Structure formats: structure tokens, C-alpha cells
Amino acid sequence: MKYFSTRGDKTAFTAAQTIVKGIADDGGLYVPEKIPVAGKTPAELSEFNYNTHATWLIEHFLTDFNYAEVVCCVNNAYNANNFTAPNIAPLHHTPQVSFLELFHGRTLAFKDMALSILPHFMQTALQKTENPKTQIILTATSGDTGVSALEGFKDIEGTKIIVFYPENGVSVIQKQHMITQTGGNVHVVGVKGNFDDAQSEVKRLFLDAKLNAKLNENGCEFSSANSINTGRLIPQIIYYFHAYSQLVKGGMAEDTPVNFVVPTGNFGNILAGYYAKKMGLPINKLICASNENKVLYDYFETGEFDSARPFHLTSSPSMDILIPSNFERLVYSLSDGNVIEKLNCLSSKQKFEMPVPQDFVGFYATEAETRAAIKKVFGAHGYLIDPHTAVAYAAYEKYAHPDEKTVIVSTASPYKFPKTVMSAVDAKYENHDDFALLEQMAELTKQKVPAQFEGLNTKPILHNKVVSINEMESAVLEII
Ligand SMILES: *Cc1c(COP(=O)(O)O)cnc(C)c1O
């Protein structure tokens, strides 16, 4: 399997090369030359556990890794040390709809699904490409990527990780996680700006020739753990197959079309669902759920993509995104003609038109609808969902096809957002402290606070640097 840039450079790369490089030299994203056809049926796959599923899927894409290397990466990622659920990504069923819980990893968010394996892909890829340089993992985060990438890369040999987060754009708990992160190779820096500003600057730094030359002099080079890395995209395809085959195992007929509702930010998760569909998984609609930053909803409604609009901070911060990076891969796969023109529009925040593919439908939830969804699901099923999952639930209701089999992709544990979740259930929690609310949430649901959060509020703060957007470059230089 060869990989190419979305921006038209005709150079072919191996999977290992794309994992190390992260982003293409022309600023594009790497895409596989074709989407492979799944070699097994859902019924055959229903006998697989998560790890055999993962190995099977990854082998379709990382054809330059041998079987033993893939198995080793998979087992280093998906194990009891990193995940608290025995089958990694379990389904939670309610009478109408099933929730695919992707939040049983170290940082309780779906980013762990890919970021627990990416560092192992990268180590293997560095060996395969005989690359002796220290990899500087440079990342802008709207919250979850940062925490999860830090956990994944901490103390991984041959890497240093630098995470930039919008100072006021992440939750109290996410911030606490990041600024207390241990590990000899980790650096966390706050940014005065929003996520899109930080992400744009990170993209610019990646391509800055002078900065890259300085890195080289120091035996370093940039790499990315952001959702544009092929090493993150591919592992996200696994759980669509796994979820589907779990439904088959539970008695669903093998070819039943299933909808997946995906709370969407950078368009990585839902794009993996699209790839799963193109591989042959019987997915009906991919329901793209947005919060009030509804640039994707507007596109799926009108066929016009336009990110020039005011930015909203919402209770689902990982979806507060106006320029969804992975959308470029969809543009690439849908337009054979003037791709470049559209992509330029995407990166320069201008608008363009593109016929809407029938595989998708978009809905969005306001803040009030998000809170109402949390309250409703808890009231009806005693099941607490986080604000991102609640946006997806609200989208599911707006889609209004209760007769169709549907899976809601649940991307974070409610424990990550205690204030929003608890005050949605009952206004009396509104003025409680986030950390006290963790205990109250456990009481309400008769569970324990997840071990990942124990003692978080008393950990020493190790990272307190905050910079403006144009100081990010010097912060990087200081660190290397
Ligand atoms: C990252 C994230 C999303 C958005 O996923 P994308 O792949 O960026 O679309 C949704 N919910 C949570 C909790 C996340 O961390």
C-alpha cells in the first residue's frame, strides 16, 4: 500500500514514512492510494477479540509492517494496563440505540484508541526507516489529544513531545491533567488564543524551513500526533468493524445497515467510519454531529463549506473547531478535478462548494439541547453521558429514524466533564467544585471514580508556561 499527499505531490510513501513524517512536505495529508476491501465478513469477524480485530484491520493498511510487528504494536496498546474494559471498546445497549464506549483508556477519551498505539507504530517505523533523529512530537490540542498524547509518548525513547493548549479552551480537569503530566520528555505550554489559532500556528511551524533547519542541526525533526497522522486514522477504523460484529454476535442479521452517529471536531473519527464503509462494512448513514460550531452541519445541509464565522466556546470543547483538518481527506476522495483550489480555500478559511456525499447527514445541537440530552438519557436509562456524546444523542433524535439500527459513538467519559454533566442532571450541582463533583457523580451512578482521576487535584503542577501565538516558535526552540 502506497500513500500520497492530498495536495497533488506524486511522490509515493510507505505507511512507515507517513507515520514518521505526519504531514506531507507540500502541506497535504497522506492518503492511501486506495481503500482496501475487507477480506472478512462481519459474521467471521464476530469471533475475533479486539486485538485480533485490530491486527487484521491494520494489516490492510500497514503492508510494510510484518505480522509480528503489527501484533507487537497492537498488544502494547490494547491491554489491561492501558484499558479498563476487558474488550477495549464495549457497547452499552439501551432499548432504542447502542452506545459505543471509546473512553476506557488512560485518559478516558476516544483519543486513547489511537494514541495508545501511535507511539508503537512510530518506534517501529523509525527502526524500519533507519531514522536516528529525535522526533519532536508537536501538537495543538483542544483538550483530549494533549492528555492522551502525553500519556502515550511519555518516556518513549527517541521522542520529545510538546503540547500547546488554548489557555481558556479546555476543561478544568483536562488542564489539570496536562499541567501535572510527568515524564522526562514531555512539555506542556498554554497559548493565549483559541484552538484553531494554535493549530494553524503548529501547521505553520511544521513547514517553516528555518525552524526545520535549526531542528536538524540539533539532531531533531518534527513529527505529529495530531489526528492527521495516518497512524491515528487507521486504528480508528477498527472499532467500527468491532462494534458491527459485536451486534452480529448479539443476534443482528449480518447485512443490516447500521447508522453511526459521530460527535465531530477535526473529522478524524467519522472519516475512519467512512473508510470502514468503503472497505465494505454495511454502514447506512454516518451522522455527523456538531455543536454550535456547526460548519460541517451547514456543509452537509447546503453543499457549501464556509468556515468564516464567529467561534463559540461550548461545553464540548473537543468539537470547538471551525477548520476540521481531516475534512481535506474527504475533499480529496470526492473530487478528482480541482482539489487544490478547494483545499486552498479550506486552509485560507474561504468558502467552496462540493456536492454532498449521500453517505453522510449532519445535525447539530445547541448548548441547551446538549444539556437536555444528558438529562433525558440519565432519566430514562440511568446512564450518564458526557457533553460530546450528548451532542451525538441530540443529533440522533433530530435524525428521527428510530426504526433504523443506530450506534452512538461515545467519545468521553462523563467524569471528564463533571460540572456540565452534573448540572445538566440537576441544577443544584451548579456551584459545586469540579473535583467534589467527581465523588458526587460516583454516588449518583453507584460506581467508583475512575482510578485515572484519583488524586488528580493534589498532584504537583509541573508545567506553567503560557505564551502568545507568536511566541510559540521560540517556545519550541527553547525546548529542543
Ligand atoms: C477529539 C474528540 C472528538 C472529535 O473527534 P474528531 O476525530 O476530531 O472529529 C469528539 N469527542 C471527544 C471527547 C474528543 O476528544
Side-chain angles (χ1 to χ4, degrees):
M1 176 75 78
K2 295 274 180 257
Y3 291 78
F4 294 94
S5 166
T6 46
R7 303 259 171 111
D9 182 348
K10 293 279 177 281
T11 320
F13 293 89
T14 63
Q17 287 172 317
T18 69
I19 288 166
V20 173
K21 283 177 70 77
I23 189 166
D25 290 331
D26 61 0
L29 278 58
Y30 290 114
V31 281
E33 59 185 329
K34 61 176 189 302
I35 305 296
V37 175
K40 288 193 188 301
T41 65
E44 288 168 327
L45 290 171
S46 67
E47 300 306 317
F48 282 20
N49 66 21
Y50 200 85
N51 291 35
T52 41
H53 235 116
T55 303
W56 166 80
L57 190 284
I58 292 164
E59 282 208 289
H60 285 76
F61 289 91
L62 271 55
T63 52
D64 51 331
F65 282 46
N66 66 38
Y67 178 74
E69 287 168 339
V70 175
V71 170
C72 181
C73 291
V74 165
N75 291 341
N76 276 325
Y78 306 120
N79 57 46
N81 191 23
N82 289 341
F83 288 85
T84 51
N87 60 345
I88 311 295
L91 287 168
H92 178 96
H93 302 288
T94 70
Q96 295 85 34
V97 69
S98 302
F99 291 85
L100 172 58
E101 296 185 348
L102 300 181
F103 55 75
H104 295 285
R106 286 202 176 197
T107 73
L108 303 180
F110 111 93
K111 302 292 191 294
D112 294 333
M113 301 305 297
L115 280 165
S116 56
I117 197 163
L118 177 68
H120 302 291
F121 283 161
M122 200 169 285
Q123 264 193 330
T124 314
L126 286 170
Q127 286 160 10
K128 297 181 88 66
T129 54
E130 296 179 1
N131 185 331
K133 295 212 178 99
T134 301
Q135 300 298 308
I136 307 295
I137 315 292
L138 189 63
T139 293
T141 183
S142 56
D144 291 333
T145 297
V147 192
S148 185
L150 289 162
E151 273 299 324
F153 279 97
K154 81 168 175 209
D155 298 325
I156 292 263
E157 228 178 280
T159 71
K160 274 188 190 168
I161 172 160
I162 309 174
V163 169
F164 289 107
Y165 67 94
E167 196 194 3
N168 299 317
V170 300
S171 81
V172 174
I173 302 235
Q174 285 172 325
K175 185 163 170 179
Q176 181 72 5
H177 248 301
M178 287 192 273
I179 62 181
T180 61
Q181 179 69 47
T182 58
N185 62 341
V186 311
H187 304 272
V188 177
V189 183
V191 173
K192 296 175 200 142
N194 67 36
F195 170 69
D196 284 314
D197 300 333
Q199 178 161 265
S200 299
E201 179 63 2
V202 161
K203 281 190 185 160
R204 193 193 68 74
L205 294 179
F206 263 108
L207 300 173
D208 186 300
K210 266 206 332 281
L211 181 62
N212 277 281
K214 281 190 198 147
L215 253 67
N216 262 300
E217 282 165 29
N218 289 283
C220 302
E221 67 186 9
F222 279 137
S223 191
S224 158
N226 266 11
S227 66
I228 55 170
N229 193 306
T230 47
R232 274 189 64 183
L233 183 59
I234 290 158
Q236 291 173 3
I237 307 170
I238 301 163
Y239 47 74
Y240 287 94
F241 278 92
H242 187 67
Y244 192 98
S245 61
Q246 289 308 296
L247 291 171
V248 171
K249 196 171 190 170
M252 185 181 80
E254 174 157 28
D255 292 320
T256 311
V258 173
N259 304 312
F260 283 88
V261 194
V262 188
T264 297
N266 248 330
F267 209 73
N269 195 353
I270 197 166
L271 184 81
Y274 179 65
Y275 281 11
K277 182 172 185 184
K278 293 189 93 173
M279 288 180 76
L281 192 67
I283 294 177
N284 178 30
K285 290 286 183 198
L286 289 156
I287 301 172
C288 178
S290 300
N291 64 24
E292 289 174 353
N293 295 295
K294 58 185 183 56
V295 64
L296 287 164
Y297 163 78
D298 288 340
Y299 163 69
F300 286 122
E301 277 296 290
T302 65
E304 181 179 81
F305 187 94
D306 182 5
S307 60
R309 60 179 69 204
F311 175 85
H312 299 283
L313 279 179
T314 73
S315 59
S316 45
S318 298
M319 299 160 66
D320 288 345
I321 291 173
L322 295 178
I323 310 168
S325 326
N326 276 290
F327 194 69
E328 176 160 340
R329 288 189 164 109
L330 183 69
V331 174
Y332 178 86
S333 95
L334 295 180
S335 15
D336 352 86
N338 44 5
V339 189
I340 299 300
E341 192 193 314
K342 292 196 182 80
L343 297 179
N344 283 340
C345 292
L346 196 61
S347 50
S348 61
K349 310 191 187 185
Q350 280 157 4
K351 56 186 174 187
F352 64 86
E353 287 178 11
M354 182 172 75
V356 175
Q358 293 308 300
D359 311 285
F360 293 89
V361 53
F363 292 97
Y364 80 99
T366 63
E367 286 294 277
E369 288 165 340
T370 306
R371 281 193 299 275
I374 294 171
K375 189 179 171 95
K376 180 171 177 183
V377 173
F378 184 70
H381 309 292
Y383 183 59
L384 270 186
I385 55 176
D386 97 290
H388 303 76
T389 310
V391 169
Y393 187 84
Y396 163 70
E397 293 215 314
K398 288 187 183 181
Y399 176 64
H401 285 285
D403 47 314
E404 296 178 3
K405 189 84 187 166
T406 301
V407 172
I408 292 177
V409 177
S410 180
T411 49
S413 157
Y415 284 94
K416 293 202 83 159
F417 304 95
K419 183 153 284 168
T420 310
V421 172
M422 291 297 275
S423 58
V425 170
D426 190 329
K428 76 179 181 196
Y429 295 111
E430 234 147 60
N431 297 316
H432 292 209
D433 159 82
D434 271 80
F435 292 102
L437 281 171
L438 291 178
E439 302 292 339
Q440 289 162 326
M441 188 180 287
E443 264 167 49
L444 188 68
T445 53
K446 302 184 182 63
Q447 293 172 336
K448 274 194 187 151
V449 174
Q452 291 92 326
F453 280 172
E454 271 165 23
L456 185 62
N457 56 340
T458 55
K459 283 190 184 164
I461 291 171
L462 304 173
H463 312 272
N464 47 21
K465 189 175 189 140
V466 178
V467 301
S468 62
I469 297 287
N470 48 27
E471 289 166 339
M472 286 168 63
E473 180 169 350
S474 49
V476 170
L477 280 171
E478 225 169 88
I479 289 164
I480 62 142

